[in-house]
Amino acid sequence: MKVFIEKHPGVFWYMNVFLPLICGMTLYMFIHQDWLFAFAERQSSLFCWLRGITYREFRPQSWFGYFVKNQLGDLLWAYAFEVTLVLSTGNLRKALLYGIVITIAAELFQLLPIVYATFDILDIIAQVVGVILASIVSRCFYKHWLTIETH
């Protein structure tokens, strides 16, 4: 797999965008319930049917279970978002700054009364961690890629 990714670096970037998004969406489909899902279930009989066969009530008994249910999806979303920022800006520092500012702003936006979402400081922490993890992975890949290209 390493040799394949070295020959096709785009695969690395696609995997680091789409796999976290797919994992996060799957997680949300199985154990997450909020106003957006309730709205989608009312609007689409297909979505209602799909949620009926996938959703399972999950009551966490530990801090890890709580994290998986409530923050892991945010972390995965922020990770994928940061990777796309790295790709679109081509600048690791700029992408890191943009990623942190935008993810915090998105969560703070939920404090507005017109937004039907719940603000949570733990979501901000999870999103910032996701941004930082993606930044570290991107930096490592760039360093590895540069050593391959120069040899």
Side-chain angles (χ1 to χ4, degrees):
M1 182 68 155
K2 181 179 174 184
V3 174
F4 179 78
I5 289 176
E6 288 174 357
K7 289 182 181 178
H8 307 283
V11 171
F12 169 83
W13 296 112
Y14 282 119
M15 284 176 24
N16 278 273
V17 171
F18 292 111
L19 285 179
L21 288 177
I22 291 167
C23 291
M25 287 187 302
T26 303
L27 180 72
Y28 272 39
M29 284 300 292
F30 280 94
I31 64 172
H32 195 77
Q33 182 66 7
D34 64 13
W35 72 272
L36 185 60
F37 283 101
F39 176 77
E41 288 173 10
R42 287 192 305 271
Q43 300 301 314
S44 168
S45 57
L46 177 61
F47 187 78
C48 187
W49 172 79
L50 185 60
R51 286 283 287 180
I53 61 173
T54 61
Y55 178 73
R56 298 293 174 256
E57 184 66 31
F58 175 62
R59 292 191 176 100
Q61 302 296 316
S62 68
W63 66 269
F64 181 74
Y66 182 83
F67 166 76
V68 168
K69 181 176 182 175
N70 297 301
Q71 276 79 40
L72 184 57
D74 291 330
L75 185 146
L76 292 168
W77 168 85
Y79 182 96
F81 180 67
E82 177 64 16
V83 171
T84 59
L85 284 173
V86 167
L87 287 171
S88 63
T89 64
N91 183 316
L92 290 167
R93 285 189 179 162
K94 226 186 243 189
L96 179 61
L97 176 66
Y98 291 168
I100 290 173
V101 169
I102 291 169
T103 56
I104 291 173
E107 191 67 27
L108 290 174
F109 185 70
Q110 294 179 14
L111 291 170
L112 296 174
I114 59 170
V115 178
Y116 300 105
T118 52
F119 170 82
D120 188 353
I121 192 73
L122 294 175
D123 288 350
I124 291 177
I125 294 168
Q127 290 171 8
V128 169
V129 168
V131 166
I132 292 170
L133 285 173
S135 183
I136 291 168
V137 169
S138 298
R139 183 176 306 276
C140 290
F141 184 75
Y142 270 135
K143 283 183 181 179
H144 177 72
W145 186 252
L146 288 175
T147 59
I148 293 170
E149 290 293 307
T150 57
H151 287 106

PDB file of all heavy atoms in Angstrom, residues 94-106:
ATOM      1  N   LYS A  94      -1.310  28.354   6.944  1.00  0.00           N
ATOM      2  CA  LYS A  94      -2.559  29.059   6.639  1.00  0.00           C
ATOM      3  C   LYS A  94      -3.756  28.135   6.844  1.00  0.00           C
ATOM      4  O   LYS A  94      -4.771  28.518   7.423  1.00  0.00           O
ATOM      5  CB  LYS A  94      -2.533  29.537   5.182  1.00  0.00           C
ATOM      6  CG  LYS A  94      -2.965  30.955   4.984  1.00  0.00           C
ATOM      7  CD  LYS A  94      -3.038  31.242   3.491  1.00  0.00           C
ATOM      8  CE  LYS A  94      -2.025  32.311   3.156  1.00  0.00           C
ATOM      9  NZ  LYS A  94      -2.179  32.803   1.789  1.00  0.00           N
ATOM     10  N   ALA A  95      -3.633  26.909   6.368  1.00  0.00           N
ATOM     11  CA  ALA A  95      -4.718  25.936   6.506  1.00  0.00           C
ATOM     12  C   ALA A  95      -5.010  25.651   7.977  1.00  0.00           C
ATOM     13  O   ALA A  95      -6.171  25.540   8.366  1.00  0.00           O
ATOM     14  CB  ALA A  95      -4.376  24.648   5.765  1.00  0.00           C
ATOM     15  N   LEU A  96      -3.978  25.539   8.794  1.00  0.00           N
ATOM     16  CA  LEU A  96      -4.172  25.291  10.229  1.00  0.00           C
ATOM     17  C   LEU A  96      -4.900  26.461  10.871  1.00  0.00           C
ATOM     18  O   LEU A  96      -5.869  26.263  11.622  1.00  0.00           O
ATOM     19  CB  LEU A  96      -2.830  25.045  10.917  1.00  0.00           C
ATOM     20  CG  LEU A  96      -2.877  24.802  12.427  1.00  0.00           C
ATOM     21  CD1 LEU A  96      -3.699  23.551  12.755  1.00  0.00           C
ATOM     22  CD2 LEU A  96      -1.471  24.681  12.990  1.00  0.00           C
ATOM     23  N   LEU A  97      -4.477  27.679  10.578  1.00  0.00           N
ATOM     24  CA  LEU A  97      -5.141  28.858  11.130  1.00  0.00           C
ATOM     25  C   LEU A  97      -6.597  28.931  10.677  1.00  0.00           C
ATOM     26  O   LEU A  97      -7.507  29.110  11.496  1.00  0.00           O
ATOM     27  CB  LEU A  97      -4.390  30.126  10.712  1.00  0.00           C
ATOM     28  CG  LEU A  97      -5.044  31.436  11.150  1.00  0.00           C
ATOM     29  CD1 LEU A  97      -5.027  31.554  12.671  1.00  0.00           C
ATOM     30  CD2 LEU A  97      -4.347  32.615  10.501  1.00  0.00           C
ATOM     31  N   TYR A  98      -6.829  28.779   9.379  1.00  0.00           N
ATOM     32  CA  TYR A  98      -8.196  28.810   8.844  1.00  0.00           C
ATOM     33  C   TYR A  98      -9.052  27.709   9.472  1.00  0.00           C
ATOM     34  O   TYR A  98     -10.199  27.930   9.840  1.00  0.00           O
ATOM     35  CB  TYR A  98      -8.212  28.637   7.327  1.00  0.00           C
ATOM     36  CG  TYR A  98      -7.649  29.778   6.526  1.00  0.00           C
ATOM     37  CD1 TYR A  98      -7.383  29.618   5.176  1.00  0.00           C
ATOM     38  CD2 TYR A  98      -7.357  31.014   7.092  1.00  0.00           C
ATOM     39  CE1 TYR A  98      -6.859  30.643   4.409  1.00  0.00           C
ATOM     40  CE2 TYR A  98      -6.829  32.046   6.328  1.00  0.00           C
ATOM     41  CZ  TYR A  98      -6.588  31.851   4.995  1.00  0.00           C
ATOM     42  OH  TYR A  98      -6.077  32.866   4.234  1.00  0.00           O
ATOM     43  N   GLY A  99      -8.485  26.520   9.573  1.00  0.00           N
ATOM     44  CA  GLY A  99      -9.236  25.398  10.128  1.00  0.00           C
ATOM     45  C   GLY A  99      -9.673  25.641  11.555  1.00  0.00           C
ATOM     46  O   GLY A  99     -10.830  25.399  11.917  1.00  0.00           O
ATOM     47  N   ILE A 100      -8.768  26.129  12.377  1.00  0.00           N
ATOM     48  CA  ILE A 100      -9.115  26.392  13.780  1.00  0.00           C
ATOM     49  C   ILE A 100     -10.160  27.497  13.880  1.00  0.00           C
ATOM     50  O   ILE A 100     -11.166  27.353  14.583  1.00  0.00           O
ATOM     51  CB  ILE A 100      -7.848  26.716  14.597  1.00  0.00           C
ATOM     52  CG1 ILE A 100      -7.004  25.447  14.756  1.00  0.00           C
ATOM     53  CG2 ILE A 100      -8.212  27.292  15.973  1.00  0.00           C
ATOM     54  CD1 ILE A 100      -5.650  25.662  15.397  1.00  0.00           C
ATOM     55  N   VAL A 101      -9.942  28.586  13.156  1.00  0.00           N
ATOM     56  CA  VAL A 101     -10.885  29.713  13.220  1.00  0.00           C
ATOM     57  C   VAL A 101     -12.269  29.308  12.706  1.00  0.00           C
ATOM     58  O   VAL A 101     -13.296  29.599  13.340  1.00  0.00           O
ATOM     59  CB  VAL A 101     -10.335  30.931  12.437  1.00  0.00           C
ATOM     60  CG1 VAL A 101     -11.402  32.001  12.262  1.00  0.00           C
ATOM     61  CG2 VAL A 101      -9.112  31.502  13.145  1.00  0.00           C
ATOM     62  N   ILE A 102     -12.324  28.632  11.585  1.00  0.00           N
ATOM     63  CA  ILE A 102     -13.625  28.272  10.988  1.00  0.00           C
ATOM     64  C   ILE A 102     -14.376  27.256  11.842  1.00  0.00           C
ATOM     65  O   ILE A 102     -15.588  27.374  12.025  1.00  0.00           O
ATOM     66  CB  ILE A 102     -13.440  27.772   9.538  1.00  0.00           C
ATOM     67  CG1 ILE A 102     -12.998  28.937   8.652  1.00  0.00           C
ATOM     68  CG2 ILE A 102     -14.719  27.142   9.002  1.00  0.00           C
ATOM     69  CD1 ILE A 102     -12.541  28.535   7.264  1.00  0.00           C
ATOM     70  N   THR A 103     -13.681  26.256  12.373  1.00  0.00           N
ATOM     71  CA  THR A 103     -14.398  25.259  13.188  1.00  0.00           C
ATOM     72  C   THR A 103     -14.907  25.876  14.493  1.00  0.00           C
ATOM     73  O   THR A 103     -16.015  25.556  14.925  1.00  0.00           O
ATOM     74  CB  THR A 103     -13.524  24.023  13.491  1.00  0.00           C
ATOM     75  OG1 THR A 103     -12.317  24.429  14.119  1.00  0.00           O
ATOM     76  CG2 THR A 103     -13.227  23.239  12.237  1.00  0.00           C
ATOM     77  N   ILE A 104     -14.133  26.762  15.104  1.00  0.00           N
ATOM     78  CA  ILE A 104     -14.611  27.435  16.318  1.00  0.00           C
ATOM     79  C   ILE A 104     -15.786  28.347  15.977  1.00  0.00           C
ATOM     80  O   ILE A 104     -16.797  28.359  16.690  1.00  0.00           O
ATOM     81  CB  ILE A 104     -13.470  28.209  17.012  1.00  0.00           C
ATOM     82  CG1 ILE A 104     -12.458  27.223  17.603  1.00  0.00           C
ATOM     83  CG2 ILE A 104     -14.014  29.141  18.093  1.00  0.00           C
ATOM     84  CD1 ILE A 104     -11.198  27.869  18.161  1.00  0.00           C
ATOM     85  N   ALA A 105     -15.677  29.091  14.873  1.00  0.00           N
ATOM     86  CA  ALA A 105     -16.766  29.981  14.460  1.00  0.00           C
ATOM     87  C   ALA A 105     -18.043  29.195  14.163  1.00  0.00           C
ATOM     88  O   ALA A 105     -19.146  29.626  14.517  1.00  0.00           O
ATOM     89  CB  ALA A 105     -16.351  30.797  13.241  1.00  0.00           C
ATOM     90  N   ALA A 106     -17.893  28.040  13.532  1.00  0.00           N
ATOM     91  CA  ALA A 106     -19.072  27.216  13.215  1.00  0.00           C
ATOM     92  C   ALA A 106     -19.781  26.773  14.495  1.00  0.00           C
ATOM     93  O   ALA A 106     -21.015  26.741  14.550  1.00  0.00           O
ATOM     94  CB  ALA A 106     -18.660  26.004  12.383  1.00  0.00           C
TER      95      ALA A 106
END
